[in-house]
Amino acid sequence: MVTACFAASMAAAWWMPLARNIDNAAYDRWTRWSPPPEGAPQSVVVAIDEATLEARGGVPEIRPILSEALDKIAAAKPNVVAIDVILHDASRDAARDARLEASMRATPNLVLGCDLVDGKWEEPLDRFKVLSAAVGHVQQEYLEPGEDRSDGVNREIPIEEIADGKRKWAMALEAFRLARGQSIVESPDDLEIGDVRIPAGRRGGERPLLVLYRQPQVIPRVSVLDVGEHPEMIRGKVVFLGETALTAARDRLVNPYGNNVTGVEVHAHVFETLAQGKFLSRAGDSTVLAACAGLALAAGLIIWFLPGRFLPGWSGLAILPLLGFVLYIPLLAFRHGVVFPLFAPATVAFLTSAGAATYQYLFVRRQLRHSESEKSRYQQAIHWAAHEMRTPLTAIQGSSEIMSRYNLPDAKRHQLSDMINSESKRLSKIIQTFLDVERLAEGQMELKREPVDAAELVSSCMARVAPLAERKQIALTLDNPVDGVLLGDRELMEYALYNLLTNAVKYSPGGTEVHVFSGLTPSGPSHSGHDGELRLGVRDQGIGMDSKEVKQIFKKFYRTKRAEASGEVGTGIGLSIVEQIVTHHGGRIDVTSAPGKGSCFTMVLKANRAASAQDRPAASLP
Ligand code: ADP
């Protein structure tokens, strides 16, 4: 059950878009709950804002605006300048491009942007490109396969993008590399720039990196119009120059804090993430799988072991700490830089506990029902034993009383002490049978498997019943000589046949006849160890039963109305034990009867001729 619930949860976490939405929402929440990175920012955003566009003639004047901005920035001695404007096409006015070229030449560590349009890179004009220290891409969408970014929240950017056979690093990464004066050392799992290890492993041709956003206003921002007056903001800094005006900026995004950020600002946040050297990285699929499997196991064990021992009936509560743990651990991991999904572990914990609890409930109920029926069966067996023991006990009691009270002749004394002796033997037999039947019912009894001579069995049972029959003047006859050998437990079989005989005598009026008959039917070539069927039958001319009654008589405690009316005492248990004994020996009982006409009970058993030759020791029946 736990495995099935685990598999279902993992499948849901893998395929349901809802799972990703929940994980993303959890990511945003954790971001808000966790303090943003500290440390002084090393970058600045120089904004082509509404005021700049208004003052300089709008978007068509973007190149003169860039020239003006670069001149002012260069004068303030920045470390790196990255321009988040794609300079792919030549201006109609060649003089403008020439002026921009001149401004670029005077700018140190210049990073230009390129963009991916319809699967092709739009690179800056060559005249600009040759002046740059690097060209970085400005892509800001990293989408997991099948991810829906309808929430518009930017969490990850591709730090590397491969398209059209060309690989580009993100603009912020190029700026960082230049600022540190180091080159990029790459491996499939990370990038290294100097002593900074960036956990941006490849995922499907891209290297996503989670951005650690700063609070609004932490990264300084200055308008192109004002940048000339604030050289101290620029000196030694990494400058990101780009459009922030609503009318011009193509990319308006929201960060996990819920703040609006423009594209150029995202570059600055990515740069600060790199500069801080502290990163968030997603837990690997195998880690998540292992953690979820551990949770499923824990849920299963908690449900299995806790409630029964310490909290009967409170399995629901026992699972609460686990669910709390599942919600708290990802937050803790997040604070230590590891992003764990929420949906998969939460679903696994919830579903597996619910599944395990349901299963356990059903299991416990089944066990309860089983033990209830065991209990009533045991009680019935005790009833039977008590009832059976009463007759010999009465005989023993009576005989011993007579012996002590009266002075009896020797012959009579002998007779009585013989009686006491045989009745006490019968008592011990009853106790033995009781124990045997108990163990038989529990399925732990190893039936004896000894050869039992059918003729001996029949004659000893008939001898025991003879006095009862005589008392009622019922003629007890053996119709034909008995042949064959049975394999089984002699005492239990004796008990079965004796029971059929006493019933026949009990439920017949005086002056009638009881016949015992047998028959051996050979069955084909002897291959299975037994040589056919041995039928042992008892036929009487007694009160009989109708067919409805016949169906019930093997049930415990069932007695027919006719039997009750006959005045014969009984418990209604004997036949149920006879049936158990016979079926455990691989046989069956056939009954034919008609009310007032008499009944015929036939035990059909496996006969075994070979068994008489070799005396086999006790062994369990198959
Ligand atoms: P008990 O004899 O103690 O009542 P049994 O289990 O031996 O219990 O028999 C169950 C019932 O089956 C009897 O009460 C009786 O109604 C019916 N029955 C058994 N044997 C005979 C028979 N030979 N003739 C008629 N009814 C019988």
Side-chain angles (χ1 to χ4, degrees), residues 499 503-504 506-507 540 543-545 553 558-560 563 570-576 599 601:
N499 227 278
N503 275 350
K506 247 158 75 176
Y507 301 117
D540 62 46
I543 57 177
M545 296 164 282
I553 50 172
Y558 177 81
R559 303 197 74 206
T560 63
T571 53
I573 280 181
L575 279 183
S576 76
S599 315
F601 286 76

Short mmCIF file of all heavy atoms in Angstrom, two decimals, residues 499 503-504 506-507 540 543-545 553 558-560 563 570-576 599 601, ligand 1:
data_model
loop_
_atom_site.label_atom_id
_atom_site.label_comp_id
_atom_site.label_asym_id
_atom_site.label_seq_id
_atom_site.Cartn_x
_atom_site.Cartn_y
_atom_site.Cartn_z
N ASN A 499 -19.15 -41.70 16.77
CA ASN A 499 -20.17 -40.67 16.81
C ASN A 499 -21.34 -40.98 15.90
O ASN A 499 -22.51 -40.80 16.26
CB ASN A 499 -19.55 -39.35 16.38
CG ASN A 499 -19.94 -38.24 17.32
OD1 ASN A 499 -21.02 -37.70 17.18
ND2 ASN A 499 -19.08 -37.98 18.30
N ASN A 503 -25.12 -41.68 17.28
CA ASN A 503 -26.25 -40.91 16.74
C ASN A 503 -27.34 -41.84 16.22
O ASN A 503 -28.52 -41.62 16.47
CB ASN A 503 -25.80 -39.98 15.60
CG ASN A 503 -25.25 -38.67 16.13
OD1 ASN A 503 -25.39 -38.39 17.33
ND2 ASN A 503 -24.65 -37.88 15.26
N ALA A 504 -26.90 -42.86 15.45
CA ALA A 504 -27.87 -43.80 14.88
C ALA A 504 -28.70 -44.46 15.98
O ALA A 504 -29.93 -44.59 15.87
CB ALA A 504 -27.15 -44.85 14.03
N LYS A 506 -29.00 -43.24 19.11
CA LYS A 506 -29.73 -42.19 19.84
C LYS A 506 -31.04 -41.82 19.13
O LYS A 506 -32.08 -41.68 19.76
CB LYS A 506 -28.86 -40.94 19.92
CG LYS A 506 -28.40 -40.61 21.33
CD LYS A 506 -27.15 -39.73 21.31
CE LYS A 506 -27.44 -38.29 20.95
NZ LYS A 506 -26.23 -37.45 21.03
N TYR A 507 -30.94 -41.63 17.82
CA TYR A 507 -32.10 -41.10 17.10
C TYR A 507 -32.94 -42.19 16.42
O TYR A 507 -33.55 -41.95 15.39
CB TYR A 507 -31.64 -40.01 16.10
CG TYR A 507 -30.93 -38.89 16.81
CD1 TYR A 507 -29.59 -38.59 16.57
CD2 TYR A 507 -31.61 -38.14 17.78
CE1 TYR A 507 -28.95 -37.59 17.24
CE2 TYR A 507 -30.96 -37.14 18.48
CZ TYR A 507 -29.64 -36.86 18.20
OH TYR A 507 -29.02 -35.87 18.91
N ASP A 540 -29.62 -46.33 9.72
CA ASP A 540 -30.57 -46.63 10.79
C ASP A 540 -32.00 -46.55 10.27
O ASP A 540 -32.22 -46.16 9.12
CB ASP A 540 -30.35 -45.69 11.98
CG ASP A 540 -30.58 -44.24 11.64
OD1 ASP A 540 -31.60 -43.92 10.99
OD2 ASP A 540 -29.73 -43.38 12.02
N ILE A 543 -35.55 -41.56 13.29
CA ILE A 543 -36.46 -40.44 13.06
C ILE A 543 -36.21 -39.74 11.74
O ILE A 543 -37.09 -39.12 11.18
CB ILE A 543 -36.38 -39.42 14.21
CG1 ILE A 543 -34.93 -38.92 14.39
CG2 ILE A 543 -36.90 -40.04 15.51
CD1 ILE A 543 -34.79 -37.85 15.46
N GLY A 544 -34.94 -39.80 11.21
CA GLY A 544 -34.64 -39.21 9.92
C GLY A 544 -34.68 -37.69 9.91
O GLY A 544 -34.94 -37.04 10.94
N MET A 545 -34.41 -37.12 8.74
CA MET A 545 -34.37 -35.65 8.59
C MET A 545 -34.86 -35.31 7.19
O MET A 545 -34.76 -36.14 6.28
CB MET A 545 -32.94 -35.14 8.71
CG MET A 545 -32.29 -35.36 10.05
SD MET A 545 -30.51 -35.15 9.94
CE MET A 545 -30.01 -36.67 9.22
N ILE A 553 -26.92 -29.96 9.52
CA ILE A 553 -26.47 -30.75 10.68
C ILE A 553 -24.98 -30.67 10.98
O ILE A 553 -24.56 -30.95 12.09
CB ILE A 553 -26.86 -32.24 10.56
CG1 ILE A 553 -26.44 -32.76 9.19
CG2 ILE A 553 -28.34 -32.44 10.83
CD1 ILE A 553 -26.61 -34.25 9.07
N TYR A 558 -26.26 -27.10 15.88
CA TYR A 558 -27.55 -27.29 15.22
C TYR A 558 -28.14 -28.64 15.64
O TYR A 558 -27.47 -29.67 15.62
CB TYR A 558 -27.40 -27.24 13.69
CG TYR A 558 -28.72 -27.50 13.00
CD1 TYR A 558 -29.66 -26.48 12.87
CD2 TYR A 558 -29.05 -28.78 12.53
CE1 TYR A 558 -30.89 -26.72 12.29
CE2 TYR A 558 -30.27 -29.03 11.95
CZ TYR A 558 -31.20 -28.00 11.83
OH TYR A 558 -32.41 -28.24 11.27
N ARG A 559 -29.40 -28.60 16.03
CA ARG A 559 -30.13 -29.84 16.32
C ARG A 559 -31.49 -29.73 15.64
O ARG A 559 -32.11 -28.66 15.65
CB ARG A 559 -30.34 -30.03 17.83
CG ARG A 559 -29.04 -30.04 18.64
CD ARG A 559 -29.27 -30.64 20.01
NE ARG A 559 -29.42 -32.09 19.93
CZ ARG A 559 -30.10 -32.83 20.80
NH1 ARG A 559 -30.70 -32.25 21.82
NH2 ARG A 559 -30.20 -34.13 20.65
N THR A 560 -31.99 -30.83 15.07
CA THR A 560 -33.30 -30.77 14.42
C THR A 560 -34.39 -30.78 15.51
O THR A 560 -34.15 -31.22 16.64
CB THR A 560 -33.52 -31.98 13.49
OG1 THR A 560 -33.51 -33.16 14.29
CG2 THR A 560 -32.43 -32.09 12.44
N ALA A 563 -35.06 -34.17 16.73
CA ALA A 563 -34.08 -34.68 17.69
C ALA A 563 -34.37 -34.14 19.09
O ALA A 563 -34.29 -34.86 20.08
CB ALA A 563 -32.67 -34.30 17.26
N GLY A 570 -28.17 -33.81 23.65
CA GLY A 570 -27.09 -33.63 22.69
C GLY A 570 -26.67 -32.18 22.66
O GLY A 570 -27.37 -31.31 23.19
N THR A 571 -25.52 -31.93 22.07
CA THR A 571 -25.03 -30.54 22.00
C THR A 571 -25.06 -30.01 20.58
O THR A 571 -24.95 -28.81 20.35
CB THR A 571 -23.57 -30.47 22.46
OG1 THR A 571 -22.83 -31.44 21.71
CG2 THR A 571 -23.45 -30.75 23.93
N GLY A 572 -25.17 -30.89 19.60
CA GLY A 572 -25.14 -30.44 18.20
C GLY A 572 -23.72 -30.14 17.73
O GLY A 572 -23.52 -29.43 16.76
N ILE A 573 -22.73 -30.67 18.45
CA ILE A 573 -21.34 -30.38 18.07
C ILE A 573 -20.68 -31.59 17.41
O ILE A 573 -19.86 -31.44 16.51
CB ILE A 573 -20.54 -29.97 19.32
CG1 ILE A 573 -20.83 -28.51 19.62
CG2 ILE A 573 -19.05 -30.12 19.08
CD1 ILE A 573 -20.08 -28.00 20.79
N GLY A 574 -21.08 -32.78 17.85
CA GLY A 574 -20.42 -34.00 17.41
C GLY A 574 -20.19 -34.08 15.92
O GLY A 574 -19.05 -34.27 15.46
N LEU A 575 -21.23 -33.87 15.11
CA LEU A 575 -21.09 -34.02 13.65
C LEU A 575 -20.12 -33.00 13.06
O LEU A 575 -19.43 -33.29 12.09
CB LEU A 575 -22.44 -33.91 12.96
CG LEU A 575 -23.31 -35.18 12.98
CD1 LEU A 575 -24.59 -34.95 12.19
CD2 LEU A 575 -22.55 -36.37 12.39
N SER A 576 -20.10 -31.78 13.65
CA SER A 576 -19.19 -30.78 13.08
C SER A 576 -17.75 -31.23 13.29
O SER A 576 -16.89 -31.00 12.43
CB SER A 576 -19.43 -29.41 13.72
OG SER A 576 -18.89 -29.36 15.00
N SER A 599 -31.86 -42.73 8.46
CA SER A 599 -30.77 -41.97 7.85
C SER A 599 -29.62 -42.89 7.52
O SER A 599 -29.49 -43.96 8.09
CB SER A 599 -30.24 -40.91 8.81
OG SER A 599 -31.30 -40.22 9.44
N PHE A 601 -25.44 -42.38 7.00
CA PHE A 601 -24.22 -41.55 6.99
C PHE A 601 -23.08 -42.41 6.45
O PHE A 601 -22.82 -43.48 6.97
CB PHE A 601 -23.85 -41.09 8.40
CG PHE A 601 -24.75 -40.00 8.93
CD1 PHE A 601 -26.03 -40.28 9.38
CD2 PHE A 601 -24.30 -38.69 9.00
CE1 PHE A 601 -26.85 -39.27 9.89
CE2 PHE A 601 -25.11 -37.69 9.50
CZ PHE A 601 -26.39 -37.97 9.94
P1 ADP B 1 -26.03 -34.05 18.91
O1 ADP B 1 -26.33 -35.45 18.54
O2 ADP B 1 -25.24 -33.93 20.14
O3 ADP B 1 -27.27 -33.21 18.91
P2 ADP B 1 -24.59 -34.01 16.40
O4 ADP B 1 -23.73 -32.96 15.83
O5 ADP B 1 -24.03 -35.35 16.53
O6 ADP B 1 -25.13 -33.43 17.80
O7 ADP B 1 -25.86 -34.07 15.48
C1 ADP B 1 -26.52 -32.89 15.05
C2 ADP B 1 -27.98 -33.11 14.77
O8 ADP B 1 -28.11 -33.89 13.58
C3 ADP B 1 -28.71 -33.89 15.81
O9 ADP B 1 -29.14 -33.08 16.85
C4 ADP B 1 -29.86 -34.44 15.02
O10 ADP B 1 -30.88 -33.49 14.89
C5 ADP B 1 -29.25 -34.70 13.67
N1 ADP B 1 -28.84 -36.11 13.51
C6 ADP B 1 -27.58 -36.61 13.59
N2 ADP B 1 -27.58 -37.93 13.36
C7 ADP B 1 -28.84 -38.30 13.10
C8 ADP B 1 -29.51 -39.54 12.75
N3 ADP B 1 -28.81 -40.70 12.65
N4 ADP B 1 -30.84 -39.52 12.55
C9 ADP B 1 -31.50 -38.36 12.66
N5 ADP B 1 -30.99 -37.17 12.98
C10 ADP B 1 -29.68 -37.14 13.20
#
